[in-house]
Amino acid sequence: MTTVADDRAAPPLRVVVAEDDAIIRMDLCLILQEEGYEVVGDCGRGDEVITLVRERRPDVAILDVKMPGLDGITAAGEIASERLCAVVLLTAFSQRKLVESARDAGVMAYLVKPFQREELVPAIELAVGRFSELVALSRHAASMEEQLEVRKLTDRAKARLIADHEMSEELAFKFLQRASMDRRIPVRQVAEAVLAGELTP
């Protein structure tokens, strides 16, 4: 049995590199390209990489710890706080305190220099995978928070309808649903209108 290969391969991951040593940066960019990644930007300063990441929107940023302008951990913290992309940290040190600081800043993976070529790809893939999970979880949490808020508003609106118009809970809920469909607006907006006294049966 033969299978037809899917031509629609996933696009290469986009990478930004920040390393103050120009030779190391050039070598790293070359390795990344040879490994199938798309290097969409590189620089040698920690303050510049934040702007670069905002502009180029890569999948992952690889940052050196020691850079002029801003150190890699601080830059990583900025990138992570805005959830711009995954971050891999390059460091010449492996002290526990540094690793903890990197983790707290939102770094998803790190490599100790001099690293081996075969260590780079797993670190990138791990960072991107962890970042994707984090984004998915935060979206889910936001969605759950929104659902909880809508439920609270709906319960308050039902209570207002029951108290002011002597409706049963079932009728109050049906009123909210019907008003939502008739006006083609979310139940949240209907509940807010009821609570504001702008909508009555």
Side-chain angles (χ1 to χ4, degrees):
M1 180 178 171
T2 59
T3 58
V4 178
D6 190 349
D7 292 333
R8 297 166 299 176
L13 290 178
R14 295 158 51 84
V15 186
V16 160
V17 176
E19 160 67 64
D20 66 331
D21 187 309
I23 294 174
I24 293 175
R25 186 168 75 244
M26 188 172 64
D27 286 346
L28 182 54
C29 289
L30 185 62
I31 291 170
L32 288 164
Q33 288 164 348
E34 288 174 351
E35 292 293 338
Y37 297 104
E38 181 185 358
V39 178
V40 296
D42 65 272
C43 64
R45 294 179 59 89
D47 47 358
E48 288 177 7
V49 73
I50 297 169
T51 303
L52 199 56
V53 166
R54 285 177 183 144
E55 289 174 353
R56 306 292 168 83
R57 292 290 177 173
D59 298 295
V60 61
I62 301 176
L63 315 180
D64 188 25
V65 169
K66 304 283 186 184
M67 288 187 288
L70 206 64
D71 67 87
I73 291 177
T74 305
E78 289 277 332
I79 292 167
S81 68
E82 295 180 36
R83 291 209 173 93
L84 297 172
C85 68
V87 177
V88 174
L89 198 69
L90 297 178
T91 173
F93 314 99
S94 59
Q95 296 104 322
R96 186 175 194 84
K97 188 174 180 182
L98 181 70
V99 173
E100 288 174 356
S101 296
R103 182 199 62 212
D104 293 344
V107 171
M108 298 291 166
Y110 78 99
L111 288 168
V112 178
K113 295 189 289 187
F115 59 86
Q116 299 301 310
R117 184 188 184 112
E118 57 269 21
E119 295 173 325
L120 184 60
V121 173
I124 291 173
E125 300 299 327
L126 175 64
V128 171
R130 284 177 172 172
F131 181 74
S132 296
E133 287 175 9
L134 179 68
V135 170
L137 283 170
S138 68
R139 282 179 185 157
H140 180 67
S143 173
M144 292 293 287
E145 194 174 317
E146 172 70 14
Q147 288 174 29
L148 185 58
E149 185 64 27
V150 169
R151 184 175 172 184
K152 285 179 183 175
L153 280 168
T154 303
D155 285 347
R156 284 173 54 207
K158 283 192 300 183
R160 172 70 65 85
L161 290 168
I162 291 166
D164 292 356
H165 303 283
E166 298 182 352
M167 301 173 78
S168 67
E169 185 174 355
E170 184 182 357
L171 281 175
F173 184 64
K174 283 183 177 177
F175 171 78
L176 296 173
Q177 282 187 315
R178 190 169 60 250
S180 173
M181 288 188 291
D182 291 346
R183 290 166 175 74
R184 293 183 178 151
I185 60 174
V187 172
R188 178 184 187 130
Q189 288 182 28
V190 174
E192 287 169 343
V194 168
L195 292 168
E198 298 166 359
L199 181 64
T200 57

